[in-house]
Amino acid sequence: NAGVTQTPKFQVLKTGQSMTLQCAQDMNHEYMSWYRQDPGMGLRLIHYSVGAGITDQGEVPNGYNVSRSTTEDFPLRLLSAAPSQTSVYFCASSYSTGAVGYTFGSGTRLTVV
Amino acid sequence: GQQLNQSPQSMFIQEGEDVSMNCTSSSIFNTWLWYKQDPGEGPVLLIALYKAGELTSNGRLTAQFGITRKDSFLNISASIPSDVGIYFCAGLTGANSKLTFGKGITLSVRP
C-alpha cells in the first residue's frame, strides 16, 4: 500500500544510547519532515527536507540529526538519548513544502529511561 | 513565530450532539486545514480551505475559513463514537511555507 512507513512502532532506550528512527515513502514526494508529539504541545517540527541531499532545521532540532540520501528515505537519528526525548515521533511527506496533502506515518512511540 | 490557538484542550459530548471547534491566530494564513488523529495513528487530513470566507463540507463535517484569514472553525454534526480523537487545525502562509499546527483538541463522545 502506498504511504509513509515508520519503524519501529515502539522503542525503549536507556539514557545516552543512540538509535535511528526509520521513515520511508513510496509516493515520490519531495518534501519529508519529522514531528514530535507531546501531551498538550501538539505537533512540533524537528527537521525537514525539500529533496534528496537537502535538509533543514525545524522548531525543535536539538539532539536530532537527519540525512536524505534518497527521495524515499528520511531517517531521524538520536545521538545520545535523553528522557526529554520521550515522545511520539511522526514522519510526514508531501509533494512540495507548501502542499496541502501531508501524509503521516503511524508514528514511533519512544521512551527514554 | 506563528501560533495557532485551539481551546479547550478537551471536549466531552454526548453521541448525537453537534460540536464546534475554533482555531485562531494573530497571523494571517492563506490556507487552513483540519486534521483528525485517531488513537495510535498519525493525523489524517479532513478538510482544506483556500479562500477567506470559504465554507466546505465533508459528510458531517463543515469548516469555514474566517474572513480575516486569522481564524477557522470546524463543526461536526450528529456525533458518533468514531468521532473520538484529536482534532488539529493547521495553516500555511504561502506556497513554500511549512505547516503550522495548533495544539489540538481531544474529543470524547459518550454513547
Side-chain angles (χ1 to χ4, degrees), chain B residues 16-66:
Chain B
E17 289 182 340
D18 299 347
V19 62
S20 187
M21 305 176 190
N22 283 349
C23 185
T24 62
S25 176
S26 58
S27 304
I28 288 175
F29 286 86
N30 291 327
T31 303
W32 285 88
L33 307 161
W34 286 91
Y35 283 82
K36 183 196 176 198
Q37 182 181 24
D38 288 327
E41 298 295 329
V44 173
L45 182 65
L46 296 174
I47 291 181
L49 302 156
Y50 301 98
K51 291 191 310 186
E54 179 181 354
L55 187 70
T56 297
S57 293
N58 178 6
R60 294 179 296 105
L61 308 179
T62 301
Q64 183 156 30
F65 190 143

Side-chain angles (χ1 to χ4, degrees), chain A residues 9 31 35 37 39-43 45 48 90 96-102 104-107, chain B residues 9 31 33 35 37 40-43 45 48 50 86 88 92 95-99 101-103:
Chain A
K9 199 157 180 68
Y31 181 77
Y35 291 85
Q37 183 178 23
M41 300 295 290
L43 292 160
L45 182 64
Y48 66 97
F90 288 99
S96 70
T97 308
V100 165
Y102 279 37
F104 282 83
S106 57
Chain B
Q9 195 169 343
T31 303
L33 307 161
Y35 283 82
Q37 182 181 24
E41 298 295 329
L45 182 65
Y50 301 98
I86 304 176
F88 292 100
L92 286 166
N96 294 317
S97 67
K98 299 176 290 296
L99 271 185
F101 283 90
K103 294 183 177 179

Side-chain angles (χ1 to χ4, degrees), chain A residues 13 19-21 34-38 44-48 55-67 74-90 110 112:
Chain A
L13 287 179
M19 80 158 294
T20 299
L21 308 186
W34 277 101
Y35 291 85
R36 62 178 287 172
Q37 183 178 23
D38 302 292
R44 293 184 291 170
L45 182 64
I46 305 171
H47 285 286
Y48 66 97
T55 63
D56 206 345
Q57 296 180 350
E59 182 185 353
V60 288
N62 292 341
Y64 307 96
N65 270 2
V66 292
S67 60
F74 190 44
L76 178 72
R77 279 183 280 279
L78 280 71
L79 307 173
S80 177
S84 61
Q85 293 179 304
T86 294
S87 187
V88 182
Y89 291 85
F90 288 99
L110 175 69
V112 183

